[in-house]
């Protein structure tokens, strides 16, 4: 009788042969898989120069050979009363920029009178926006004002010329019947030519080592005299004449009676958009003509001359009357 280990030996031999065959097959498969990869690496190394040349040629033709770069959007801060017309006007001009609207105090009356007060209020808003949101590319401030002008005597809103009023008065002095008719006709209306117009000042500053500012007014729209008188009675410190016009016309937006005042031809958004475009164009023109950055020696000489000149300002100003 054979020992147990000798009896089990014949059954173990086939198992060992199967394991050896499997190991050999695995080695052959690994070698076969490695050969194409080696060929690919060799082909890539051989054609590396040609592929680069092809990419350069494709780029010259305008082909997109890679994912687009993440571009930084310019930052625009708008300082105003927060009206939707002001925000829409800025968005129309700065279409590719990120715009943030801030309601900051102007430091002037709710209804500024004249260009000087409006520009002072716009400058106050812009400075407050610079402090609240430092690091922006552009700062924009908008401030409207009421202008009082005297229009030379002429036909205006159904009123006759001064010469026609003089002729009517002369005829009325010689005929009592004509005098009664003149009293009830438009010829008897006295008109001293005083008119009131609403306009908006736009102040833009481009940030940089030396900030540059530009200003432009919007087209003025006449405000009815009764609305101006009502706003004056209520107090220009609290109410604007335009808001009174909007209230009388039943408009939802009290800051935009311009569309109604111009019979639907121009909204406040359109008027401000033109002023913003003009001010921005002035900045772009000045930016093209500005000298290159100064060297260290020229900066030292400039600082020396600036210390001797007491009128040197921090900001360059282009346009406006402020």
């Amino acid at each position: 009788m054979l020992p147990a280990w000798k009896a089990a030996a014949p059954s173990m031999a086939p198992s060992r042969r199967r394991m050896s065959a499997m190991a050999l097959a695995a080695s052959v498969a690994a070698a076969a898989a490695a050969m194409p990869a080696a060929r690919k690496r060799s082909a890539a190394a051989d054609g590396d120069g040609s592929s680069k040349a092809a990419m350069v040629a494709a780029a010259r033709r305008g082909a997109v050979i890679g994912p687009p770069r993440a571009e930084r959007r310019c930052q625009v801060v708008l300082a105003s009363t927060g009206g939707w017309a002001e925000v829409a006007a800025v968005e129309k001009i700065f279409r590719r920029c990120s715009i943030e609207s801030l309601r900051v105090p102007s430091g002037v009356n709710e209804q500024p009178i004249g260009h000087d007060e409006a520009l002072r209020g716009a400058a106050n808003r812009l400075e407050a926006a610079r402090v609240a949101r430092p690091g922006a590319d552009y700062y924009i401030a908008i401030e409207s004002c009421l202008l009082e002008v005297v229009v030379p005597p002429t036909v205006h809103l159904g009123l006759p010329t001064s010469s026609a009023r003089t002729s009517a008065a002369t005829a009325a002095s010689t005929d009592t019947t004509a005098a009664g008719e003149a009293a009830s006709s438009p010829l008897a209306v006295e008109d001293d030519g005083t008119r009131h117009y609403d306009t908006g000042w736009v102040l833009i500053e481009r940030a940089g080592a030396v900030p540059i500012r530009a200003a432009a007014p919007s087209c003025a729209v006449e405000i009815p005299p009764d609305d101006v008188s009502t706003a004056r009675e209520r107090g220009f410190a609290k109410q604007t004449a335009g808001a009174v016009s909007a209230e009388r016309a039943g408009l939802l937006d009290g800051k935009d009676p311009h569309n109604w005042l111009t019979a639907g031809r121009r909204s406040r958004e359109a008027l401000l958009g033109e002023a913003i475009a003009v001010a921005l164009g002035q900045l772009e023109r000045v930016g093209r003509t500005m000298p290159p950055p100064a060297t260290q020696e020229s900066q030292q000489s400039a600082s020396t001359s600036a210390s001797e000149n007491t009128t040197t300002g921090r900001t360059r100003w282009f346009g406006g009357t402020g």
Side-chain angles (χ1 to χ4, degrees):
M1 185 173 177
L2 295 173
W5 64 273
K6 287 186 177 182
S11 62
M12 294 174 61
S15 177
R16 289 176 180 173
R17 286 195 295 270
R18 286 195 300 270
M19 292 178 63
S20 299
M22 292 174 61
L24 179 61
S27 301
V28 172
M35 289 177 64
R39 291 196 188 100
K40 290 180 181 179
R41 288 194 297 269
S42 177
D46 295 338
D48 185 55
S50 60
S51 62
K52 287 184 178 180
M55 291 178 64
V56 172
R60 290 177 178 176
R61 293 194 303 268
V64 178
I65 58 176
R69 296 181 179 179
E71 297 183 358
R72 175 186 175 274
R73 301 182 65 185
C74 69
Q75 303 293 322
V76 178
V77 177
L78 169 62
S80 63
T81 59
W84 69 268
E86 299 167 346
V87 178
V90 174
E91 290 178 345
K92 185 177 180 180
I93 304 301
F94 292 87
R95 296 182 179 180
R96 297 185 177 182
C97 298
S98 176
I99 301 171
E100 181 180 4
S101 177
L102 295 179
R103 291 195 64 175
V104 292
S106 64
V108 297
N109 290 327
E110 183 70 14
Q111 176 62 84
I113 305 297
H115 297 301
D116 293 339
E117 187 175 4
L119 285 169
R120 187 167 65 252
N124 292 339
R125 292 184 191 274
L126 195 146
E127 292 296 338
R130 282 167 50 94
V131 174
R133 296 292 187 274
D137 298 291
Y138 292 91
Y139 294 93
I140 304 176
I142 299 176
E143 189 70 33
S144 298
C145 66
L146 191 67
L147 305 176
E148 181 176 315
V149 299
V150 176
V151 179
T154 183
V155 176
H156 180 79
L157 297 181
L159 298 177
T161 61
S162 59
S163 59
R165 290 197 298 269
T166 303
S167 301
T170 303
S173 63
T174 59
D175 188 353
T176 56
T177 303
E181 294 177 354
S184 59
S185 69
L187 297 179
V189 177
E190 292 295 335
D191 179 23
D192 59 356
T194 302
R195 301 287 181 265
H196 294 86
Y197 291 85
D198 177 87
T199 185
W201 272 99
V202 174
L203 183 62
I204 299 182
E205 177 176 306
R206 189 182 68 184
V210 179
I212 306 175
R213 286 186 182 180
S218 66
C219 182
V221 177
E222 184 174 358
I223 303 294
D226 293 341
D227 297 340
V228 176
S229 300
T230 302
R232 183 181 286 109
E233 293 173 359
R234 296 178 181 178
F236 286 147
K238 299 179 180 179
Q239 183 109 49
T240 64
V244 175
S245 297
E247 177 184 343
R248 181 168 59 86
L251 304 178
L252 297 178
D253 188 1
K255 299 182 184 299
D256 188 13
H258 303 74
N259 196 30
W260 175 73
L261 292 172
T262 59
R265 292 187 177 273
R266 288 295 183 272
S267 64
R268 188 164 187 259
E269 174 189 347
L271 296 173
L272 289 176
E274 289 297 322
I276 294 171
V278 170
L280 180 61
Q282 293 176 157
L283 285 183
E284 292 173 345
R285 175 183 58 81
V286 173
R288 297 190 188 104
T289 58
M290 287 186 65
T295 61
Q296 184 176 1
E297 296 179 357
S298 60
Q299 288 178 354
Q300 292 177 355
S301 61
S303 61
T304 304
S305 60
S307 62
E308 297 175 355
N309 186 5
T310 58
T311 62
T312 301
R314 180 180 56 83
T315 303
R316 298 185 64 181
W317 173 269
F318 299 93
T321 58

